[in-house]
Amino acid sequence: MSRERYSPSEIEPRWQAFWERDQTFRTDEDPAKDKAYILDMFPYPSGAGLHVGHPEGYTATDIVARHLRSKGVAVLHPMGWDAFGLPAEQHALQTGTHPADTTQKNIATFRRQLKSLGFSYDWSREVDTTDPAYVKWTQWIFLELFERGLAYQDEIPVNWCPALGTVLANEEVKDGRSERGGHPVFRVPLRQWMLRITAYADRLLEDLSKVSWPEGTRVMQVEWIGRSEGAEIAFEVEGHPGTRIEVFTTRPDTLFGATFVVLAPEHPVVERITTPARRAEVLAYAARTRGRSERERRESKDKTGEPTGAFAVHPLTGKLIPIWIADYVLWGYGTGAVMAVPGHDGRDFEFAGKFGLPIERVVRSAEVEASAALEAAFESDGIACHSGPYDGLTTAACKAAITAELERSARGRKRVEYKLRDWIFSRQRYWGEPFPIYFPVRCEGDPRTLPESAVSIDFSSPRAVDRSELPLRLPDLEDFKPGEDPAGPLARAKDWRFFQKDGQWFARETNTMPQWAGSCWYYLRFIDPKNEQALVDPAKAKAWLPVDLYVGGAEHAVLHLLYARFWHKVLYDAGIVPTEEPFGKLVHQGMILGEIEYTAYVAEDGTRVSRRDVQEESTPDGRPEFREITTGRTVVPTRVEEAQVTKVGTDFVLAAEPTVAVDARAHKMSKSRGNVINPDSVVQQYGADSLRLYEMFMGPLEATKPWSTASIAGVRRFLDRTWAVCTRTLSPEAPPDGLERLLHRTIKKVGDDLEGLRFNTAISALMQLTNELFGLEAPPRRACETLVLLLHPMAPHIAEELWERMGHPPSIQRVPWPAFDAAMLTDDEVEVPVQVNGKVRGRVKVPTAASEDTVIAAARADENVARHLDGKQLVKVQYVPGRIVTIVVK
RNA sequence: GGCCGAGUGGCGAAAUGGCAGACGCGGCGGAUUCAAAAUCCGCUUUCCAAAAGAAGUGUCGGUUCGAGUCCGACCUCGGCUACCA
């Protein structure tokens, strides 16, 4: 047997080529086998190439896929590209390269990088969301939504971002700025395509109980949907017969405590009811609110508002209460109007306090008098008081009683509200799927040559492109710039936009779909990627759905995962997919941070300031700034080397200046910080198997973990040792008993750990086995073979190579997973610790099957144990078989 | 402010309520070497010169023969979210 060194750069490309030639990972569609659909969230192929975060989740699923295949399961494990999106288009703007070219180039890089890591994808099923053959079906699903009344147009205030030249969805806006790029965002009204996701709100909520997802993710979706039950109550406006203000409340039981009404400044009734004396101030306030960005509205938490001068009639008492406008009432939620109950709502309490409005208690707790003053809003449930006939009712009973009374007198009714809004589905961009929709045009002559003003498009009569004409392709453009008119760049492609049919001119929709569209259903296309007749063959969908394991980042906890569930349910209703939910088990891999960095704070004169004396502030433009608390002077964070710091207590301090504590933290990898690790260079230096193994060995899959280049050398050393052991002259003898038992234990542990996605402990078990074999001059062949079989899912290249060198034909993927014998999991003898009053005072070696009496006798005979028992009174003696002897004395 | 998660050696971490720190990194010592790198062997939670021993899983309290693990209160860090009536 050869004794050359382990050389990943030589063996890895060879096995990758073998797998490709051999079609080793072609999906097994044998209906007699159990199936497993193992899916990664497909990446956006950015120009930066693969990030070390990608291979984390991808390695995890790859291990599961390889493990299951070796256990005889038919596995579907595909990969593809979420390739529409802004960066390719922005790159096009800067360089003049067509986004399709940039995208294909980036995909090629990603594909090469993923292949270099040895992932066992069935590459024959690769999908690309920008491929017209894929776009066809994305558009087909849109038509399905359109025909079901789930896609509609609306003129609504949207998040217009001039810098990006596009409208953003609420979830793409963070703190009043675009999530990508941080540009300011303004609210302007614009015609948009909307998807009626709210029609599915209840099902999206209820069916969360059917999936096996992380609890935190489920909670986030529940809160995002934000279902609340309450009542809609009508308030008449005094002096305006027929004008009613509807409010939504979850606390109809507090109706008697409503001392004023507040409208959102955008509320249309404001115009009508404001008294002449208040008009100027009210309109000015409303205009100011409209001009303020979301960010500004949020930054000043201080309550502001203006009285309209009008009064509402309390529906139960008939009392007149003032009507105000204030921006803490949101036009987008409920009815855009609230009955303010300052006694029992913190926001109303604050507002009433600021403007001197009356605060009344209408709920009390059991221990409190109805007359007790309110120091703050009492928001808990309790017992009604100062509520006329409802006094004494519990909150729940009072809600029901008051709602019933309002319904009886037609002044209110039960109502369910959701935080979830309909989904703004259009973007004013080039690089996305065109909508398969067109509109009739009124004009004299050819609209392609006429000025805009001479062409009138009837947006109120959208028509669907015939399904036989799909895909509707994007026109080739020279100029992708969005222009300051939010109509989008497609509006300039007049030859594409306008066309004639039956002698009549029509205009195509010039909006495009958001990036989410393609990623909403890609997991379906993987099942049947080449089908030209249907988006997926129903029999195949039935065979593979739902996805059994879905691994991806927690940043998609609401958006992608909610949108995909929504589309899936629509397709379920259409009879296209056989399950109500797309994804069974979901796991989020944790973030990989950069290497730990030590930061000292240095003042201008060079003195170092302890981090305990430093306070972080932010400058007006949002950048962080640091000040010494005592003097107020600014200090600059400065990187220091690990060798210069030492730990004192819980603090890291400068070794040379131990009073100065420094920050020790790992940060997110980012270009600007310069701590990005490139997977290519890790593969080059250590090999793909080492990278895979290291990422799995770092810690639990779901944990956030800092990168450590030094630690990769450790797993590489493990592979070197494994190589060395398995290329020794192997003994044909059966392993000795102790080793045999270790083998069985390791088989069980690795199998269990892989099933539980505990890759770090599986690897440590393999390290222990290798260490054990490393001490043997001629390790037993069967032991080495077992080691390699167990290692294969995690480090496939070295496993294939060693397996072949041991004289077996490839591929190791086709060799069944080793079995263990339960009788071999324990040794004949165990060492049992002996505790006296909770402290270990000795250990005894006893036969595993020994009786309690035997073990206790042996324990008491131990010299050191006996010393601690001497002269004491025995209270209790207990033997937990195989684990521990406990003795309690007095 | 709300929700979720996490606090264990110098570092990443491990531990069905039963020997805290497996495995790995780093460090120290030794072997090999002209020397170094690489490799191999040993040690490595803290206190004590060492043995015996004691302390020790963010803090305080509780349940238990026994708590890193279960319960209650709190502190710190990270992520998400943010006036949703």
Side-chain angles (χ1 to χ4, degrees):
Chain A
M1 192 160 287
S2 70
R3 299 303 301 267
E4 10 169 342
R5 286 179 49 103
Y6 167 49
S7 169
S9 61
E10 195 247 320
I11 67 168
E12 289 177 353
R14 208 169 65 227
W15 284 105
Q16 286 155 17
F18 171 84
W19 294 327
E20 199 147 334
R21 241 184 4 257
D22 180 60
Q23 302 275 296
T24 315
F25 307 120
R26 178 156 230 143
T27 308
D28 180 352
E29 303 210 58
D30 183 350
K33 291 184 175 174
D34 286 343
K35 69 94 184 179
Y37 186 174
I38 309 298
L39 182 66
D40 292 300
M41 287 187 187
F42 69 163
Y44 173 75
S46 73
L50 215 62
H51 180 272
V52 287
H54 289 114
E56 190 192 11
Y58 298 166
T59 303
T61 52
D62 195 60
I63 292 168
V64 172
R66 286 174 181 269
H67 179 224
L68 289 175
R69 281 190 208 102
S70 73
K71 291 182 37 160
V73 175
V75 172
L76 174 57
H77 186 44
M79 180 46 79
W81 319 106
D82 185 16
F84 276 124
L86 282 181
E89 192 172 316
Q90 273 170 331
H91 188 255
L93 284 175
Q94 284 156 16
T95 63
T97 328
H98 194 283
D101 297 340
T102 313
T103 302
Q104 289 314 311
K105 207 180 112 233
N106 292 349
I107 286 176
T109 305
F110 264 68
R111 191 191 294 114
R112 175 189 61 72
Q113 290 184 304
L114 290 178
K115 287 192 173 180
S116 80
L117 291 168
F119 295 133
S120 62
Y121 296 120
D122 178 352
W123 285 104
S124 72
R125 292 175 183 248
E126 183 178 344
V127 302
D128 165 359
T129 56
T130 66
D131 180 351
Y134 185 93
V135 168
K136 171 180 171 177
W137 296 105
T138 308
Q139 290 172 334
W140 190 94
I141 295 170
F142 177 81
L143 290 181
E144 195 66 33
L145 289 155
F146 178 66
E147 282 156 12
R148 291 178 168 261
L150 294 168
Y152 64 97
Q153 301 171 82
D154 199 5
E155 187 87 16
I156 49 156
V158 293
N159 304 300
W160 168 243
C161 178
L164 293 174
T166 193
V167 165
L168 301 172
N170 286 333
E171 46 273 20
E172 291 168 311
V173 180
K174 252 191 111 168
D175 294 335
R177 286 172 177 268
S178 62
E179 196 173 20
R180 231 187 258 266
H183 306 291
V185 172
F186 301 89
R187 308 280 288 176
V188 299
L190 197 65
R191 182 185 62 89
Q192 298 292 321
W193 281 95
M194 309 287 293
L195 296 187
R196 215 178 290 281
I197 190 171
T198 51
Y200 281 73
D202 275 327
R203 283 167 67 189
L204 289 168
L205 193 61
E206 280 160 24
D207 291 353
L208 283 172
S209 64
K210 298 179 181 163
V211 296
S212 141
W213 286 16
E215 193 48 35
T217 304
R218 263 204 301 239
V219 168
M220 278 169 80
Q221 292 218 346
V222 167
E223 285 176 358
W224 191 264
I225 295 166
R227 184 181 200 275
S228 48
E229 287 182 16
E232 183 185 283
I233 303 174
F235 284 72
E236 308 272 346
V237 181
E238 201 232 356
H240 293 266
T243 300
R244 305 172 110 201
I245 294 170
E246 310 277 358
V247 304
F248 173 70
T249 179
T250 54
R251 291 293 301 272
D253 61 298
T254 62
L255 179 53
F256 279 84
T259 55
F260 53 101
V261 166
V262 188
L263 306 176
E266 298 93 333
H267 200 294
V269 85
V270 171
E271 180 79 16
R272 213 174 330 143
I273 64 169
T274 302
T275 59
R278 296 294 315 148
R279 196 163 185 85
E281 283 89 347
V282 166
L283 293 188
Y285 180 83
R288 207 155 56 235
T289 305
R290 267 193 299 277
R292 288 170 94 191
S293 68
E294 292 264 331
R295 186 194 178 90
E296 288 169 322
R297 259 171 102 151
R298 193 163 311 139
E299 265 172 6
S300 53
K301 280 261 175 176
D302 239 17
K303 295 278 183 291
T304 57
E306 290 289 342
T308 61
F311 287 83
V313 183
H314 192 286
L316 295 186
T317 66
K319 267 196 219 154
L320 294 185
I321 57 177
I323 303 172
W324 285 62
I325 65 169
D327 66 3
Y328 82 91
V329 175
L330 307 176
W331 177 228
Y333 182 77
T335 59
V338 303
M339 62 175 207
V341 184
H344 305 283
D345 180 284
R347 297 153 301 187
D348 298 341
F349 184 90
E350 198 189 320
F351 192 80
K354 178 156 176 189
F355 294 103
L357 293 157
I359 300 170
E360 281 170 25
R361 176 193 283 278
V362 292
V363 185
R364 62 183 179 88
S365 60
E367 312 82 54
V368 168
E369 294 288 314
S371 58
L374 282 157
E375 312 258 294
F378 176 72
E379 295 183 327
S380 322
D381 285 5
I383 298 156
C385 58
H386 300 137
S387 295
Y390 305 96
D391 281 0
L393 291 181
T394 64
T395 295
C398 190
K399 276 181 184 173
I402 288 186
T403 306
E405 166 57 22
L406 290 168
E407 274 180 1
R408 200 191 52 73
S409 58
R411 278 171 294 185
R413 58 188 177 87
K414 264 195 196 157
R415 174 162 166 169
V416 176
E417 231 355 273
Y418 301 89
K419 274 200 242 178
L420 184 69
R421 304 266 68 101
D422 274 344
W423 175 11
I424 303 169
F425 194 65
S426 33
R427 300 291 181 274
Q428 291 63 45
R429 279 281 163 177
Y430 174 74
W431 196 228
E433 298 88 347
F435 282 82
I437 292 287
Y438 58 95
F439 306 95
V441 168
R442 266 207 334 262
C443 61
E444 301 289 326
D446 187 337
R448 294 172 297 183
T449 55
L450 291 169
E452 289 269 331
S453 54
V455 179
S456 153
I457 301 173
D458 178 11
F459 289 112
S460 64
S461 312
R463 305 197 185 176
V465 171
D466 193 272
R467 281 179 158 89
S468 66
E469 291 170 34
L470 298 180
L472 171 61
R473 292 168 185 257
L474 282 168
D476 262 327
L477 283 192
E478 299 271 303
D479 173 19
F480 311 103
K481 262 204 289 309
E484 57 280 4
D485 170 15
L490 290 183
R492 289 196 297 274
K494 294 196 172 182
D495 287 340
W496 176 85
R497 186 182 189 189
F498 297 105
F499 66 98
Q500 262 180 312
K501 193 173 175 178
D502 307 326
Q504 150 92 58
W505 282 100
F506 292 97
R508 297 191 187 283
E509 174 58 76
T510 58
N511 286 328
T512 53
M513 298 186 201
Q515 200 180 348
W516 307 109
S519 63
C520 264
W521 71 282
Y522 73 110
Y523 61 95
L524 295 174
R525 194 61 180 169
F526 280 140
I527 293 171
D528 195 10
K530 303 275 180 349
N531 194 330
E532 288 178 17
Q533 310 309 316
L535 67 94
V536 59
D537 179 273
K540 291 183 180 170
K542 195 159 184 350
W544 287 109
L545 287 174
V547 172
D548 295 281
L549 175 64
Y550 193 26
V551 175
E555 66 273 23
H556 296 112
V558 275
L559 307 179
H560 160 62
L561 287 166
L562 193 66
Y563 294 155
R565 292 180 62 220
F566 164 47
W567 279 34
H568 191 91
K569 286 183 186 303
V570 174
L571 294 174
Y572 173 77
D573 290 348
I576 293 165
V577 296
T579 60
E580 289 195 62
E581 285 290 329
F583 313 119
K585 183 178 165 97
L586 171 73
V587 172
H588 300 303
Q589 83 275 16
M591 209 191 327
I592 296 184
L593 305 174
E595 298 240 9
I596 289 181
E597 292 173 28
Y598 300 90
T599 310
Y601 294 91
V602 181
E604 205 161 50
D605 61 6
T607 51
R608 270 96 71 106
V609 178
S610 178
R611 84 184 167 91
R612 304 221 163 251
D613 302 326
V614 171
Q615 196 174 7
E616 183 174 345
E617 291 166 8
S618 57
T619 58
D621 57 328
R623 305 198 138 264
E625 193 181 46
F626 302 89
R627 288 181 186 286
E628 187 176 17
I629 297 166
T630 47
T631 62
R633 63 183 173 166
T634 55
V635 290
V636 180
T638 310
R639 180 118 187 233
V640 291
E641 290 305 312
E642 190 180 354
Q644 292 172 262
V645 301
T646 178
K647 198 169 189 180
V648 174
T650 56
D651 279 332
F652 280 92
V653 300
L654 289 174
E657 220 176 323
T659 54
V660 177
V662 301
D663 270 330
R665 259 181 51 193
H667 299 86
K668 250 187 209 172
M669 287 191 192
S670 70
K671 240 191 239 164
S672 59
R673 199 172 263 282
N675 59 351
V676 177
I677 303 288
N678 178 353
D680 279 345
S681 62
V682 179
V683 169
Q684 199 186 14
Q685 208 179 340
Y686 299 94
D689 283 336
S690 289
L691 174 60
R692 294 170 55 117
L693 219 44
Y694 171 62
E695 292 213 6
M696 295 300 99
F697 187 61
M698 289 171 91
L701 180 61
E702 281 142 293
T704 303
K705 322 164 256 273
W707 184 264
S708 158
T709 298
S711 296
I712 306 173
V715 294
R716 170 59 194 265
R717 241 184 319 261
F718 159 63
L719 291 180
D720 282 330
R721 287 158 69 88
T722 303
W723 178 275
V725 165
C726 294
T727 54
R728 286 178 193 164
T729 305
L730 303 181
S731 150
E733 306 287 318
D737 184 67
L739 178 58
E740 185 71 54
R741 287 175 192 271
L742 175 63
L743 285 176
H744 285 267
R745 277 203 303 271
T746 307
I747 294 168
K748 172 161 170 50
K749 167 120 184 98
V750 172
D752 288 352
D753 281 354
L754 296 193
E755 273 170 39
L757 309 182
R758 295 180 299 268
F759 307 110
N760 52 335
T761 49
I763 292 166
S764 93
L766 292 175
M767 287 173 166
Q768 285 170 68
L769 180 56
T770 292
N771 288 346
E772 190 65 29
L773 298 177
F774 197 77
L776 306 176
E777 214 160 292
R781 162 174 287 273
R782 189 152 53 73
C784 288
E785 288 180 348
T786 303
L787 169 63
V788 169
L789 285 169
L790 296 181
L791 179 63
H792 155 250
M794 289 156 269
H797 308 88
I798 190 175
E800 289 274 21
E801 181 73 20
L802 290 172
W803 188 249
E804 191 181 41
R805 280 168 187 249
M806 286 180 196
H808 303 287
S811 157
I812 195 172
Q813 174 69 90
R814 291 194 275 269
V815 181
W817 190 251
F820 64 87
D821 175 357
M824 295 294 282
L825 295 177
T826 51
D827 288 321
D828 293 339
E829 265 199 330
V830 277
E831 197 184 60
V832 177
V834 183
Q835 279 187 357
V836 180
N837 286 354
K839 292 199 193 302
V840 178
R841 299 299 182 182
R843 290 160 219 288
V844 288
K845 248 199 162 122
V846 295
T848 308
S851 71
E852 178 161 8
D853 292 345
T854 325
V855 178
I856 288 170
R860 295 183 63 173
D862 180 88
E863 198 187 321
N864 200 40
V865 172
R867 203 157 60 77
H868 282 92
L869 299 183
D870 192 34
K872 305 264 173 59
Q873 188 195 342
L874 225 53
V875 176
K876 187 172 178 176
V877 185
Q878 190 183 3
Y879 173 50
V880 182
R883 303 234 60 130
I884 201 163
V885 176
T886 50
I887 302 174
V888 183
V889 293
K890 249 192 330 208

